[in-house]
Amino acid sequence: ENRLSKIQTKPSKKNKTGVIYLCTIPPYLKPSTLKSMLEQRGFAPITRVFLTPYTPPAGAPRKRSNKRKSYTDGWVEFASKRTAKGCAQALNASIVGGKKGGWYHDDVWNMKYLKGFNWGDLMEQMQRERSEREAKRRIEDSRAKKEEKLFLEGVERGRVVEGIRKKNAE
């Protein structure tokens, strides 16, 4: 009982993590590579990285290939707010760099520190968007099923009417 009361009275640990938002991601840059690039520049303890995968528009022709993945934007969570702020200030609008002629040599960092933003907020927003997409898809699927059912009923009705016409003609 004594241990339980100590656990309950323990003050909740304040969130000390900082999140930066990357508006653009160089083509084919993977999350692991992004993390190592930031750590090489001295912005160490990175706790999480999330990059939004590029999805082609709905009307675009679908091509299957083993092409490397591209990402549109992303978020990086640092263990401390100070590190996140420093990273955003130091690297924003600077060249990504790397070897001359390398994948990311001429690309530019485009990042912003998100003040008062928690990783949980991001995941909550992503979950909300995912559930909205799924709900939209379900509505579209049910609408398509209804249309198909009506079409099949019309075809069947047409067959019946055609059969009656043939009998009357005989």
Side-chain angles (χ1 to χ4, degrees):
E1 190 179 73
N2 195 14
R3 267 182 38 203
L4 278 176
S5 63
K6 284 182 185 178
I7 292 171
Q8 290 171 349
T9 58
K10 191 176 180 181
S12 62
K13 190 177 180 182
K14 207 171 186 189
N15 182 25
K16 292 184 170 111
T17 61
V19 178
I20 62 167
Y21 173 67
L22 295 151
C23 305
T24 56
I25 306 290
Y28 314 122
L29 180 70
K30 294 188 284 189
S32 56
T33 311
L34 172 64
K35 185 175 180 179
S36 66
M37 288 172 94
L38 292 175
E39 286 174 343
Q40 283 173 0
R41 287 172 171 81
F43 303 107
I46 294 175
T47 51
R48 292 178 238 185
V49 176
F50 178 79
L51 301 181
T52 308
Y54 170 74
T55 52
R62 189 169 172 207
K63 297 177 185 174
R64 292 184 61 89
S65 70
N66 60 353
K67 203 170 117 178
R68 295 170 67 175
K69 251 186 177 178
S70 286
Y71 298 92
T72 53
D73 58 356
W75 292 264
V76 179
E77 183 187 49
F78 292 87
S80 74
K81 290 179 184 178
R82 179 175 286 160
T83 309
K85 284 179 189 174
C87 178
Q89 286 175 348
L91 295 181
N92 190 30
S94 67
I95 294 171
V96 173
K99 293 179 184 173
K100 190 172 185 177
W103 279 99
Y104 320 115
H105 180 72
D106 296 325
D107 289 307
V108 176
W109 289 115
N110 193 351
M111 58 178 67
K112 179 177 174 60
Y113 172 72
L114 301 175
K115 187 178 178 184
F117 193 81
N118 298 335
W119 194 261
D121 299 340
L122 168 66
M123 290 299 122
E124 186 180 304
Q125 178 184 350
M126 300 298 270
Q127 182 63 36
R128 191 178 324 113
E129 288 173 2
R130 188 180 301 121
S131 63
E132 285 174 6
R133 276 195 309 270
E134 288 173 359
K136 234 182 232 179
R137 187 183 46 79
R138 278 195 302 271
I139 290 169
E140 288 173 10
D141 288 351
S142 67
R143 187 176 297 137
K145 281 181 184 176
K146 284 178 185 175
E147 286 176 9
E148 181 187 14
K149 187 178 175 185
L150 283 170
F151 175 75
L152 290 175
E153 284 174 0
V155 168
E156 192 63 35
R157 195 175 298 123
R159 285 183 185 157
V160 169
V161 169
E162 194 63 35
I164 291 171
R165 282 188 188 148
K166 279 184 182 177
K167 277 191 174 180
N168 288 342
E170 290 172 0

